[in-house]
Amino acid sequence: MQLWMYPVWMWHWARPGDPRVPWGAAALLRLPADAAALKTAAIGQFVSQIHPLGEGAQHAAILPPEEVAHHTRRFEVVFR
């Protein structure tokens, strides 16, 4: 059996080339257009994570737009 890992929070703290990430074990998976659209719609349901809860920095969205952008691409990065 092969284990594939999806880096849910990695994009929150790492950037391409970050030495803490095992880039040699990374694989790129292209998503069909319908799968990408469904995934984007699903992410949009997590309103409390992607939109501010109120005024001021203390109420900012947990996931900033640049983080959400990693999860709405037409491909995924997974690790073996």
Side-chain angles (χ1 to χ4, degrees):
M1 178 166 48
Q2 200 169 31
L3 172 67
W4 293 85
M5 295 176 284
Y6 179 75
V8 175
W9 288 103
M10 183 187 78
W11 301 116
H12 195 66
W13 55 264
R15 299 292 176 260
D18 189 311
R20 299 170 291 175
V21 177
W23 296 110
L28 185 121
L29 301 176
R30 300 216 179 271
L31 298 175
D34 58 338
L38 286 170
K39 186 175 176 198
T40 297
I43 290 168
Q45 296 300 306
F46 290 89
V47 176
S48 67
Q49 302 295 300
I50 60 175
H51 297 290
L53 299 176
E55 298 290 324
Q58 72 273 23
H59 297 292
I62 293 171
L63 299 176
E66 60 272 13
E67 168 74 17
V68 175
H70 285 285
H71 300 290
T72 56
R73 300 178 295 194
R74 292 285 308 272
F75 64 90
E76 294 290 356
V77 175
V78 295
F79 292 88
R80 293 179 233 154

